[in-house]
Amino acid sequence: MQKKTLHGFHAVGARLKRFPDSVLEIYLDPARQDARARELARLAAAHGVKLLHVDDKRLTGLAGDARHQGVAALIDAGRSYAALEDVLDDLTEPAFLLVLDGVTDPHNLGACLRVADAMGVHAVVAPKDKAVGLNATVSKVACGAAETVPYVMVTNLARTLRELKEREIWIAGTAADADVDLHHFNAGAGPIAWVLGSEGEGMRRLTREHCDILVSIPMFGAVESLNVSVATGIVLAETRRQRSLAGG
C-alpha cells in the first residue's frame, strides 16, 4: 500500500467522489462547522470512510507547510492511477490526451491537471521515472482535478506513443523550432495527443522523434519561453476551440 496524505476541501472531496475506496481516514478540525465541512462529513459517511476530529496541530503535522483548510486525508495512492487501455476503450468520442514528458515541479503538474480537467482532456500520461507523480502538493494545486482526470503513469513513454499511433491518435509535440505554429495547425476534431516537455529541457530526443508533427506557440512579446502549465493551457484551449467549431 502506498500511503500519502491529501489536504484541502477540493482535493479530499474530489478523491472521495472518484476513488472512495482509496480513502483510508479523513481528519477534520471540529471548529469547521460550515457547509463544506458538513458536506464532506456526509460524503464520508455515505462511503463508509472513518472521519476523525483532530486539532490544528495534528492537521499541520499532516499537511506540513501547506494550508490545510481544516481537513486532511490518508489515502492509498496506489489506487490513484488509471490504465490507458481502459480509458481509451471507454471513449465515445475522439481521444483528447495530454502527455507530459518529465515534468518534475508539483505546482506545474497540478496546474496542468487543472487545465486538462477544464478543457475536457480524457487522460494525462506521464513516465514513471524523472517525473513528479501525484503527491499532496499536486492535488492541492490541482483543486480536485488530480482526482477527476485519469492520470496514467507508464514505464516506457516512447512505446506508449507508438501504441497511441496504432490507435490512429495523432501525436503533436510542442517545440520552439517547429515548422508550423499553433495558429496554423488544424487540430480538428480527430483524436490527438499533445506532448509537452519538462520545465527546462523540453521533450527528450526519443519522445520528439515519436511525434507526428511539431507545433510552436506564437510569441508576440519580449519573453522567449513559457511555463509548461501555461503552454499546456494554450494548446489545450485552442484544440478545444477548434473542436467546438467543428461540432466535436
Side-chain angles (χ1 to χ4, degrees):
M1 183 180 296
Q2 303 173 36
K3 291 184 180 180
K4 74 171 188 177
T5 57
L6 296 180
H7 48 268
F9 280 93
H10 275 299
V12 175
R15 167 68 58 161
L16 260 179
K17 292 175 182 177
R18 184 168 177 83
F19 300 112
D21 291 344
S22 72
V23 182
L24 305 176
E25 290 181 342
I26 294 176
Y27 309 98
L28 183 66
D29 185 341
R32 291 294 304 247
Q33 298 291 329
D34 53 279
R36 296 179 80 184
R38 291 195 298 271
E39 174 61 14
L40 187 69
R42 185 194 66 79
L43 280 173
H47 292 294
V49 177
K50 183 187 297 185
L51 188 148
L52 302 173
H53 288 104
V54 300
D55 59 21
D56 182 75
K57 183 178 180 181
R58 176 75 186 281
L59 287 167
T60 300
L62 290 166
D65 295 330
R67 183 168 173 264
H68 53 68
Q69 299 178 314
V71 65
L74 180 66
I75 69 165
D76 178 2
R79 304 186 190 183
S80 304
Y81 305 103
L84 186 57
E85 296 81 5
D86 294 341
V87 173
L88 296 176
D89 289 344
D90 288 342
L91 292 181
T92 57
E93 61 180 349
F96 186 17
L97 307 175
L98 172 63
V99 180
L100 299 173
D101 184 20
V103 172
T104 57
D105 187 297
H107 293 88
N108 278 338
L109 178 56
C112 287
L113 288 168
R114 192 171 184 180
V115 75
D117 176 78
M119 293 298 106
V121 167
H122 298 126
V124 175
V125 181
K128 289 184 178 179
D129 296 329
K130 298 181 179 179
V132 63
L134 298 181
N135 60 30
T137 300
V138 172
S139 295
K140 178 68 173 178
V141 173
C143 291
E147 282 67 50
T148 58
V149 179
Y151 189 73
V152 181
M153 296 192 75
V154 299
T155 55
N156 188 315
L157 188 57
R159 182 172 62 212
T160 298
L161 294 178
R162 290 195 297 269
E163 292 170 353
L164 292 178
K165 288 185 179 186
E166 291 173 359
R167 288 179 176 258
E168 299 183 343
I169 297 173
W170 193 247
I171 311 297
T174 55
D177 60 345
D179 294 327
V180 61
D181 68 58
L182 185 63
H183 291 171
H184 297 88
F185 173 61
N186 181 16
I192 188 170
W194 277 104
V195 185
L196 286 94
S198 65
E199 297 88 348
E201 303 298 326
M203 288 184 293
R204 290 174 292 180
R205 178 188 58 80
L206 192 57
T207 302
R208 181 180 172 119
E209 290 176 356
H210 279 80
C211 292
D212 294 308
I213 190 169
L214 296 177
V215 181
S216 64
I217 296 174
M219 305 287 284
F220 301 98
V223 299
E224 298 181 354
S225 62
L226 295 171
N227 176 282
V228 63
S229 61
V230 174
T232 294
I234 291 172
V235 300
L236 295 186
E238 174 60 17
T239 303
R240 178 53 66 187
R241 184 189 71 84
Q242 292 188 27
R243 286 195 166 200
S244 297
L245 291 175

